Amino acid sequence: MNVLVVNCGSSTVKYQLFAMDGEEVYQVLAKGLVERIGIPGSRLEHKFGERVFSQERDASNHRIALEWIIETLTSGETRVLHSISQIEAVGHRVVHGGEKFTGSVLIDETVLRVIRECADLAPLHNPPNILGIEACQALMPRVPQVAVFDTAFHGTIPEYAYIYAIPYEYYEKYRIRRYGFHGTSHRYVAERAAKIMGRDLRELRLITCHMGSGVSFAAVKEGKSIDTSMGFTPLEGLVMGTRCGDLDPAIVFFLMEKEGLSAEEVEEILNKRSGVLGISGVSSDTRDIEDAAPSHHRSRLTLEIIAYRAKKYIGAYYAILGGLDALVFTAGIGENSSFIRYSICKGLEHLGIYIDEERNKARRKEAFLNEDRSPVKILMVPTNEELMIARDTWRIVEELR
Ligand code: AMP
C-alpha cells in the first residue's frame, strides 16, 4: 500500500511517500517539502533515492503546493509513481485532537468538524492541517485519509494530572486542561526503546525527552503517557528555542502593566522571544549557544538553565513513575547535542543514571549512552513521526479492506 504522509504548517507542506507491506515492512519512496507557501518564490525540495531535486515556483495556497508535490511524485525525472491513482491512503499529522481523539482515526465529515472545533485550542496549527486535509480530499476524493494527532498519546493522562488549579468551571466551559503535544514522537521513541532494550513496553517506566526547537518530556508507564510537560498549549514546560516554558503567571500581568503591553504582545514575547533566544540574546539555536558559551556568560547560563530544568522534570517523573528503567533522548537537540545530554544526566547518579562520556558521543543513531553499571538505561532514539503516521494509516486502511 502506498501511503502519503502529509504535515502541513502555516507556510509549509512536508511529505513522505511510503510503500508499506506491513507495519515493519516498508520503503520510503520519496520525501520532501514545499516552503514559502503564500509567499512569492515558493520552493520545493524532493529527495528520492540518493537524489535531491529542487524547484522554485509560486504556490499561493496549500492545494497548489500539494498539486505540485503530486506532479513531482508522478512525472518527469523525479517520478516514483506512474499516477496519482497509486496513492492508496493519506496520513495527516494533526496537532490538536482535543479530548475526543485518543487515537488515530479515519477522516469523515464528523472528524473534520471536530478538528475544526479544536482550532480554537491550536489556532496556529489546526487551520493549516485542515487545509491539507481538504486539499487532499479534493485531489484524491476516493482515497481514505487518516488523522494522527499530536495530542492523542497523552489521552491516558489521569484527571488529577491534567486539571489545572483554576476554577473548575473553566475546564467545563472552555476545556482548559493539560493536553500535551509531540505525542506521536513520544509514542514512537517509547516503542523503539522497548525494542532496543529487548523488553516489553508494558513492563517499563520511561521518561521520553523530545528536545528540538520545541521541547517536551513525557512520563511513560506500561506504554501509556501518564504526564507530560507541555500543557494547554505548547508553551508550558521546559526551556525551548523561543518559548519560555514554566513561568509564574503573575509575570504576565506585571509585564502588561510595567511595559504597557497588550495580551497579544505578551503572548508574542513568551512564544517567540523567550527561551534560549530570550536568555542568551544570541540565537534560538542551541548550536550557536554552545559555540558562544566559552566566551559569553548568558550563553553559558542558558545551557545551565536548560539542564537544570530538565533535571527537575526528570526528578518529578521519576517520583510519579515509581522508579525509572530508561531515559530516552530524541529530536534535534536530543539526537545531536552530546553536551546538553551530558549536562542533563551528570549529577543524577543518585537516581541510578550514569552517562558514559564515550558512548554519549553518538549522534543521530539508535544507541545506549549509559555506563554498563547504570541501573537506568540512557538511550538515544532518532524520532520518526512520519513512519508512525504511515503505520497508523496503513493499519486503519487495511481494516477497511
Ligand atoms: P528539531 O525541532 O527537532 O528539528 O530540532 C531543531 C533544533 O535542534 C535546532 O534549533 C537546534 O537547537 C538543535 N540542534 C540540531 N543539531 C544540533 C547540534 N549538533 N547541537 C546542538 N543542538 C542541535
Side-chain angles (χ1 to χ4, degrees):
M1 183 192 300
N2 292 322
V3 178
L4 179 65
V5 172
V6 173
N7 178 357
C8 289
S10 55
S11 65
T12 58
V13 177
K14 293 186 191 146
Y15 62 94
Q16 244 183 75
L17 180 67
F18 289 82
M20 308 279 301
D21 274 324
E23 282 195 39
E24 301 292 339
V25 191
Y26 65 89
Q27 195 192 339
V28 177
L29 300 179
K31 62 177 164 184
L33 91 159
V34 175
E35 44 191 359
R36 296 175 61 88
I37 296 169
I39 307 165
S42 317
R43 192 166 170 276
L44 174 138
E45 189 172 287
H46 177 77
K47 294 185 186 156
F48 55 120
E50 296 297 303
R51 297 171 63 189
V52 182
F53 166 84
S54 41
Q55 197 173 42
E56 270 197 28
R57 142 188 329 185
D58 288 345
S60 54
N61 60 43
H62 287 74
R63 175 154 173 186
I64 293 171
L66 277 153
E67 279 171 347
W68 189 7
I69 290 167
I70 287 167
E71 179 193 312
T72 310
L73 290 168
T74 56
S75 63
E77 50 165 329
T78 57
R79 178 164 91 172
V80 289
L81 295 175
H82 292 296
S83 85
I84 186 171
S85 64
Q86 285 183 290
I87 299 174
E88 296 163 270
V90 183
H92 293 269
R93 176 187 183 212
V94 181
V95 168
H96 218 306
E99 290 189 302
K100 300 243 168 48
F101 301 117
T102 52
S104 304
V105 288
L106 186 70
I107 300 172
D108 59 16
E109 269 316 303
T110 316
V111 169
L112 200 50
R113 181 169 45 75
V114 177
I115 298 173
R116 281 198 194 98
E117 284 166 11
C118 292
D120 243 9
L121 301 171
L124 297 179
H125 296 103
N126 274 30
N129 298 158
I130 294 164
L131 290 176
I133 294 169
E134 288 171 340
C136 288
Q137 285 177 330
L139 293 167
M140 295 169 272
R142 276 185 289 280
V143 176
Q145 320 255 339
V146 169
V148 179
F149 301 97
D150 260 23
T151 46
F153 182 58
H154 303 301
T156 44
I157 292 178
E159 198 178 13
Y160 55 76
Y162 71 66
I163 291 290
Y164 288 106
I166 58 173
Y168 192 78
E169 68 204 64
Y170 296 126
Y171 168 62
E172 294 174 311
K173 207 167 161 188
Y174 302 116
R175 311 325 279 176
I176 295 177
R177 51 161 285 181
R178 175 179 312 285
Y179 289 100
F181 299 88
H182 293 143
T184 313
S185 175
H186 287 293
R187 179 159 62 105
Y188 176 80
V189 300
E191 287 181 11
R192 279 304 309 159
K195 286 225 167 74
I196 300 163
M197 292 165 78
R199 300 272 303 271
D200 186 340
L201 183 57
R202 286 167 301 186
E203 63 183 32
L204 290 177
R205 296 156 302 179
L206 307 174
I207 299 174
T208 47
C209 308
H210 179 109
M211 304 189 76
S213 48
V215 178
S216 73
F217 286 11
V220 182
K221 191 173 191 176
E222 297 161 4
K224 296 194 173 85
S225 171
I226 61 163
D227 205 352
T228 190
S229 58
M230 284 181 170
F232 177 56
T233 72
L235 189 54
E236 192 182 349
L238 294 124
V239 177
M240 308 180 216
T242 60
R243 283 174 250 162
C244 59
D246 296 335
L247 189 78
D248 179 345
I251 294 169
V252 172
F253 316 113
F254 186 90
L255 276 179
M256 285 171 86
E257 199 189 311
K258 293 285 178 194
E259 297 270 311
L261 299 171
S262 67
E264 295 92 276
E265 285 167 330
V266 178
E267 195 181 352
E268 205 250 353
I269 291 172
L270 301 183
N271 267 300
K272 306 230 170 90
R273 289 163 51 196
S274 297
V276 171
L277 175 66
I279 305 167
S280 69
V282 170
S283 160
S284 62
D285 191 316
T286 40
R287 277 169 289 207
D288 301 333
I289 305 307
E290 287 185 35
D291 290 345
S295 57
H296 186 244
H297 169 70
R298 274 168 54 186
S299 294
R300 261 194 319 279
L301 177 66
T302 306
L303 295 170
E304 281 168 6
I305 295 172
I306 290 174
Y308 177 72
R309 296 245 210 136
K311 282 185 208 290
K312 290 214 291 189
Y313 267 96
I314 291 168
Y317 288 173
Y318 189 105
I320 62 161
L321 286 165
L324 186 62
D325 297 299
L327 192 59
V328 188
F329 287 102
T330 193
I333 298 171
E335 292 167 28
N336 290 292
S337 176
S338 310
F339 180 84
I340 292 178
R341 288 192 306 247
Y342 186 82
S343 11
I344 292 172
C345 294
K346 203 64 207 156
L348 297 182
E349 294 77 12
H350 59 293
L351 297 181
I353 298 171
Y354 292 83
I355 190 155
D356 184 294
E357 274 192 68
E358 214 31 57
R359 290 178 188 164
N360 183 44
K361 287 182 180 155
R363 288 176 66 175
R364 293 163 82 180
K365 62 176 198 305
E366 292 180 346
F368 283 99
L369 311 177
N370 54 279
E371 289 183 14
D372 290 336
R373 65 172 166 158
S374 188
V376 177
K377 305 285 175 257
I378 308 169
L379 282 97
M380 187 229 303
V381 178
T383 195
N384 196 340
E385 291 159 283
E386 293 79 12
L387 175 59
M388 213 62 186
I389 295 170
R391 278 182 182 155
D392 281 10
T393 304
W394 176 84
R395 198 176 334 104
I396 288 172
V397 175
E398 267 295 306
E399 276 171 19
L400 296 176
R401 291 184 162 184

